[in-house]
Each structure stands twice: as C-alpha cells, then as structure tokens.
Amino acid sequence: MLVLGIETSCDETGLALYDSEEGLLADELFSQIDIHQAYGGVVPELASRDHADRILPLLNNLLKKTGKLLDEVDLVAYTAGPGLKGCLLVGSTFARTLSYIIDKPIISINHIEAHLLAPFMEYPELSFPFFGLLISGGHTMIIDAKSIGDYEIMGETLDDALGEAFDKTAKLMGLDYPGGPLIEKLAKDGVTGSYKFPRPILNKPNCDFSFSGLKTHIMLTWKASEKTEQVQKNISLELQNSVTDCLVGKLKRAHNEKYYPVIVISGGVSANQFIRDKLTNFAHSINAKAYYPTKKFCTDNGAMIAYAGYKKYEAGQIYDLKGEVKPRWPLDQLA
Ligand code: KG4
Ligand code: ZN
C-alpha cells in the first residue's frame, strides 16, 4: 500500500510517500523559519499563505524523486489537527482534492499521535503499551499509550510548552527563532552551577509540568546579568538542567503509578542530545528503554503523517473529518 502524507499544521510544509512493503520512499520538507524569524515566532497568516504556495511544487518533487505517479497512491493521509486553523485548512483542502481526483480513500491524522508513532518507522521491535513523552513547541505531556488510538494523558503542561520555554529564553537573550537548537549549542560551553534555576512543580504529586515561572526567573536573571555570550551559555545550560530534572522527575512518578519497559520520546525538543542522554540514562536506571525518532523526524514532517496514515488504516481506524479541521484535538478524544 502506498500512502501519501501531508503535514501543514504549523510552519513546516511536509510531504512524504510511505510504502507498506518498502518503508519510507522519500520525504519533502519546506521549513518557513526564515519567514517567521523576523517576528520572533510563527505568524499564522503568513504561514498558511506559504503552505498554499509550496505544497504543489513539493508534491511534484516527491513524485519525481520516487518515480511514482499520483494514480499509484492508495491512501491520502493529512494532519487535521491540532494546529493553526488556516494552515490545517490548506493541507485538508489539498488532501481532499487529491483524494477526489485519484478516487482513493482519505484519512485524517492527529498530529500528536503521528509524533508518537514516528519512532515505530525505524524500530520494528517497538510495540504497545508504552509511556509517551511528547515535548514540542505546542505540547508537553506524558501519555499512557495502551494501544493504537487508545491514549490516556497522565500529565501535561499547565502553561508553556517545553519548546516555548526554549524559544522564549532565546528571544529574551536576543537570539533567533526557533531557540531550541541555538540554546542546545550554547549550553555545550556553559559552566555548571552558574545559576540555580527552579524546578517548577517538580514536588507536586502528579505528572504535570509548568514552565512559565522558569521563564520569568530566567528573564530576571538575564536582566541582572552582564550581556555576554558566556552568560548566554550559562543560562542555556541551566535551563536544560532544570527542564531535564522536571522531565525525569515526572517520568519517575508515571513509572511509580504503572510500569512499562518502553518510553517513546518525540516532538521537536526530543532532537536535543543533552535531554536525550539524560532520559536514556533514566530509562536504563529503571530497566526500561528510551526510543526517539531520527533527529530530522523529531520536528514536524510529512513522513510521520504518511506512516501514521498507514498504521491507522491497518488498525481499521479510518477517520475522515470531511473538510473540518481541529485546531484543538486532544489525544484522548480521537474517535
Ligand atoms: O514538533 P515541532 O517541530 O512543532 C510542534 O509541533 O510544536 O517542535 C518545535 C519546537 C520549537 O519550540 C523548537 O525550539 C524546539 O522544538 N526544538 C528544540 C530543538 N530543536 C527543536 N528544542 C531544544 N533543543 C533542540 N535541539
Ligand atoms: Zn509537531
């Protein structure tokens, strides 16, 4: 079965072809970072216009690269939410038009579920149930993933997402958007113990997170500091230390409630090697194994949508929202 995946939920236009026999054939991605950088964050109107401009040329590239014809596609999978409404509508309309032209089924994919399933593409041994830790620019949550389509949210952020904590810290120190990769680079030369940042709600007996207080604390620290690159490096390192302690602490709580030997970590922030190393060590300490997508598939992409389309179709979970999109679409309300 040949599945075309279409991702347009935020600031990346992603298309991919996944073949159930041969695996991922190719993927095409256009990142709008340069467009939004001047504004320090994603501008929804600019994002949706750019998706509309890019999507057809990307499809042409994908077909050319793989030597496939549109007619050979058996299933069209697209992100129906959560995300920015105008952006989602571009992908939905495009997917619906293609499915109509080639007369093949269409499937609406939840972006968060696609992030969670992404590592399955590369690790055939992975199976349900597992703990999911989704850390992205829009979401931060611990998920009890019981079986495909059956998820319970054990805890989530009460305010900012983890990616936002990185992006906002970068912005206040005068760095470009998105801040995550820049903070990671700076942190490598930071001096441990330069600051003692809080670990918000780490001691609360639940699996929730909170990052907005940390951001305020960092803002006050930055205001009171000399504006040097070494200070940026030290703040970056201590930000990573603080949030990693929170992630490990809350995963520990989840594992005290229930034990699974597998933790799947995905979403844009899971590209961070410092965080990966700490979470991998934690997983070893409780005889579990941590899985991550390949770095290029941590952030938004079409491959994870094509793959999720195949897995959902295989499981008989074929939702079609018929032109409706869901800017908010909680993982525990898929059906
Ligand atoms: O999953 P994603 O592409 O989009 C959402 O669905 O939100 O995640 C984007 C987020 C941004 O906040 C970005 O700063 C963060 O992921 N990010 C990182 C790294 N690479 C991307 N954060 C920390 N370290 C990184 N290396
Ligand atoms: Zn995402």
PDB file of all heavy atoms in Angstrom, residues 7 9 111-112 115 134 136-139 267-268 298-301 304, ligand 2:
ATOM      1  N   GLU A   7       1.635  17.246   5.780  1.00  0.00           N
ATOM      2  CA  GLU A   7       1.701  17.948   7.068  1.00  0.00           C
ATOM      3  C   GLU A   7       1.754  19.462   6.830  1.00  0.00           C
ATOM      4  O   GLU A   7       2.645  19.946   6.120  1.00  0.00           O
ATOM      5  CB  GLU A   7       2.958  17.482   7.835  1.00  0.00           C
ATOM      6  CG  GLU A   7       3.479  18.434   8.897  1.00  0.00           C
ATOM      7  CD  GLU A   7       2.511  18.691  10.050  1.00  0.00           C
ATOM      8  OE1 GLU A   7       1.740  17.786  10.410  1.00  0.00           O
ATOM      9  OE2 GLU A   7       2.527  19.818  10.574  1.00  0.00           O
ATOM     10  N   SER A   9       0.511  21.685   9.749  1.00  0.00           N
ATOM     11  CA  SER A   9      -0.164  22.198  10.952  1.00  0.00           C
ATOM     12  C   SER A   9       0.419  23.503  11.490  1.00  0.00           C
ATOM     13  O   SER A   9      -0.247  24.250  12.179  1.00  0.00           O
ATOM     14  CB  SER A   9      -0.163  21.146  12.053  1.00  0.00           C
ATOM     15  OG  SER A   9       1.151  20.938  12.507  1.00  0.00           O
ATOM     16  N   HIS A 111      -1.944  15.100  14.745  1.00  0.00           N
ATOM     17  CA  HIS A 111      -0.512  15.424  14.690  1.00  0.00           C
ATOM     18  C   HIS A 111       0.261  14.848  15.896  1.00  0.00           C
ATOM     19  O   HIS A 111       1.398  14.390  15.750  1.00  0.00           O
ATOM     20  CB  HIS A 111      -0.409  16.952  14.659  1.00  0.00           C
ATOM     21  CG  HIS A 111       0.969  17.495  14.580  1.00  0.00           C
ATOM     22  ND1 HIS A 111       1.616  17.717  13.384  1.00  0.00           N
ATOM     23  CD2 HIS A 111       1.827  17.893  15.546  1.00  0.00           C
ATOM     24  CE1 HIS A 111       2.817  18.226  13.633  1.00  0.00           C
ATOM     25  NE2 HIS A 111       2.974  18.339  14.935  1.00  0.00           N
ATOM     26  N   ILE A 112      -0.358  14.876  17.059  1.00  0.00           N
ATOM     27  CA  ILE A 112       0.332  14.373  18.270  1.00  0.00           C
ATOM     28  C   ILE A 112       0.510  12.862  18.174  1.00  0.00           C
ATOM     29  O   ILE A 112       1.577  12.327  18.496  1.00  0.00           O
ATOM     30  CB  ILE A 112      -0.453  14.718  19.554  1.00  0.00           C
ATOM     31  CG1 ILE A 112      -0.833  16.199  19.592  1.00  0.00           C
ATOM     32  CG2 ILE A 112       0.359  14.358  20.786  1.00  0.00           C
ATOM     33  CD1 ILE A 112      -1.724  16.553  20.763  1.00  0.00           C
ATOM     34  N   HIS A 115       3.414  12.158  15.910  1.00  0.00           N
ATOM     35  CA  HIS A 115       4.711  12.321  16.587  1.00  0.00           C
ATOM     36  C   HIS A 115       5.035  11.062  17.403  1.00  0.00           C
ATOM     37  O   HIS A 115       6.163  10.584  17.417  1.00  0.00           O
ATOM     38  CB  HIS A 115       4.668  13.515  17.549  1.00  0.00           C
ATOM     39  CG  HIS A 115       5.092  14.823  16.945  1.00  0.00           C
ATOM     40  ND1 HIS A 115       6.309  15.009  16.328  1.00  0.00           N
ATOM     41  CD2 HIS A 115       4.468  16.036  16.894  1.00  0.00           C
ATOM     42  CE1 HIS A 115       6.414  16.273  15.920  1.00  0.00           C
ATOM     43  NE2 HIS A 115       5.306  16.907  16.238  1.00  0.00           N
ATOM     44  N   LEU A 134       5.804  13.517  25.020  1.00  0.00           N
ATOM     45  CA  LEU A 134       5.766  14.401  23.853  1.00  0.00           C
ATOM     46  C   LEU A 134       6.249  15.776  24.275  1.00  0.00           C
ATOM     47  O   LEU A 134       5.647  16.406  25.155  1.00  0.00           O
ATOM     48  CB  LEU A 134       4.355  14.484  23.289  1.00  0.00           C
ATOM     49  CG  LEU A 134       4.338  15.383  22.064  1.00  0.00           C
ATOM     50  CD1 LEU A 134       4.764  14.614  20.835  1.00  0.00           C
ATOM     51  CD2 LEU A 134       2.992  16.009  21.849  1.00  0.00           C
ATOM     52  N   SER A 136       7.184  19.250  22.502  1.00  0.00           N
ATOM     53  CA  SER A 136       7.268  20.002  21.246  1.00  0.00           C
ATOM     54  C   SER A 136       7.047  21.487  21.515  1.00  0.00           C
ATOM     55  O   SER A 136       7.047  21.933  22.666  1.00  0.00           O
ATOM     56  CB  SER A 136       6.226  19.468  20.261  1.00  0.00           C
ATOM     57  OG  SER A 136       4.939  19.852  20.660  1.00  0.00           O
ATOM     58  N   GLY A 137       6.854  22.245  20.432  1.00  0.00           N
ATOM     59  CA  GLY A 137       6.631  23.679  20.582  1.00  0.00           C
ATOM     60  C   GLY A 137       5.215  23.992  21.039  1.00  0.00           C
ATOM     61  O   GLY A 137       4.945  25.082  21.532  1.00  0.00           O
ATOM     62  N   GLY A 138       4.302  23.037  20.879  1.00  0.00           N
ATOM     63  CA  GLY A 138       2.905  23.284  21.246  1.00  0.00           C
ATOM     64  C   GLY A 138       2.422  22.426  22.400  1.00  0.00           C
ATOM     65  O   GLY A 138       1.409  22.740  23.024  1.00  0.00           O
ATOM     66  N   HIS A 139       3.123  21.325  22.691  1.00  0.00           N
ATOM     67  CA  HIS A 139       2.635  20.374  23.694  1.00  0.00           C
ATOM     68  C   HIS A 139       3.758  19.833  24.568  1.00  0.00           C
ATOM     69  O   HIS A 139       4.905  19.738  24.125  1.00  0.00           O
ATOM     70  CB  HIS A 139       1.941  19.188  23.008  1.00  0.00           C
ATOM     71  CG  HIS A 139       0.755  19.596  22.212  1.00  0.00           C
ATOM     72  ND1 HIS A 139       0.851  19.934  20.882  1.00  0.00           N
ATOM     73  CD2 HIS A 139      -0.539  19.779  22.559  1.00  0.00           C
ATOM     74  CE1 HIS A 139      -0.341  20.289  20.437  1.00  0.00           C
ATOM     75  NE2 HIS A 139      -1.206  20.211  21.424  1.00  0.00           N
ATOM     76  N   GLY A 267       8.665  14.707  19.354  1.00  0.00           N
ATOM     77  CA  GLY A 267       8.374  16.144  19.304  1.00  0.00           C
ATOM     78  C   GLY A 267       9.689  16.900  19.146  1.00  0.00           C
ATOM     79  O   GLY A 267      10.771  16.367  19.446  1.00  0.00           O
ATOM     80  N   GLY A 268       9.602  18.146  18.676  1.00  0.00           N
ATOM     81  CA  GLY A 268      10.788  18.925  18.335  1.00  0.00           C
ATOM     82  C   GLY A 268      11.896  18.933  19.373  1.00  0.00           C
ATOM     83  O   GLY A 268      13.083  18.806  19.038  1.00  0.00           O
ATOM     84  N   CYS A 298      12.102  14.422  14.365  1.00  0.00           N
ATOM     85  CA  CYS A 298      11.616  14.895  15.674  1.00  0.00           C
ATOM     86  C   CYS A 298      10.706  16.096  15.460  1.00  0.00           C
ATOM     87  O   CYS A 298       9.640  16.207  16.047  1.00  0.00           O
ATOM     88  CB  CYS A 298      12.783  15.315  16.571  1.00  0.00           C
ATOM     89  SG  CYS A 298      13.723  13.932  17.191  1.00  0.00           S
ATOM     90  N   THR A 299      11.150  17.030  14.624  1.00  0.00           N
ATOM     91  CA  THR A 299      10.326  18.203  14.314  1.00  0.00           C
ATOM     92  C   THR A 299       9.306  17.797  13.234  1.00  0.00           C
ATOM     93  O   THR A 299       9.344  16.684  12.716  1.00  0.00           O
ATOM     94  CB  THR A 299      11.209  19.369  13.835  1.00  0.00           C
ATOM     95  OG1 THR A 299      12.160  18.857  12.924  1.00  0.00           O
ATOM     96  CG2 THR A 299      11.950  20.016  14.984  1.00  0.00           C
ATOM     97  N   ASP A 300       8.406  18.719  12.910  1.00  0.00           N
ATOM     98  CA  ASP A 300       7.291  18.385  12.030  1.00  0.00           C
ATOM     99  C   ASP A 300       7.763  17.932  10.647  1.00  0.00           C
ATOM    100  O   ASP A 300       8.703  18.503  10.088  1.00  0.00           O
ATOM    101  CB  ASP A 300       6.365  19.593  11.897  1.00  0.00           C
ATOM    102  CG  ASP A 300       5.713  19.924  13.231  1.00  0.00           C
ATOM    103  OD1 ASP A 300       5.772  19.071  14.145  1.00  0.00           O
ATOM    104  OD2 ASP A 300       5.148  21.021  13.361  1.00  0.00           O
ATOM    105  N   ASN A 301       7.087  16.920  10.112  1.00  0.00           N
ATOM    106  CA  ASN A 301       7.480  16.363   8.809  1.00  0.00           C
ATOM    107  C   ASN A 301       6.326  15.562   8.214  1.00  0.00           C
ATOM    108  O   ASN A 301       5.390  15.179   8.930  1.00  0.00           O
ATOM    109  CB  ASN A 301       8.717  15.473   8.997  1.00  0.00           C
ATOM    110  CG  ASN A 301       8.423  14.274   9.879  1.00  0.00           C
ATOM    111  OD1 ASN A 301       7.950  13.247   9.404  1.00  0.00           O
ATOM    112  ND2 ASN A 301       8.646  14.395  11.195  1.00  0.00           N
ATOM    113  N   MET A 304       6.084  11.257   9.120  1.00  0.00           N
ATOM    114  CA  MET A 304       5.338  10.717  10.269  1.00  0.00           C
ATOM    115  C   MET A 304       3.832  10.688   9.981  1.00  0.00           C
ATOM    116  O   MET A 304       3.109   9.850  10.518  1.00  0.00           O
ATOM    117  CB  MET A 304       5.655  11.510  11.556  1.00  0.00           C
ATOM    118  CG  MET A 304       5.139  12.923  11.581  1.00  0.00           C
ATOM    119  SD  MET A 304       5.587  13.730  13.154  1.00  0.00           S
ATOM    120  CE  MET A 304       4.541  15.195  13.078  1.00  0.00           C
TER     121      MET A 304
HETATM  122 ZN    ZN B   2       4.800  18.863  15.948  1.00  0.00          ZN
END
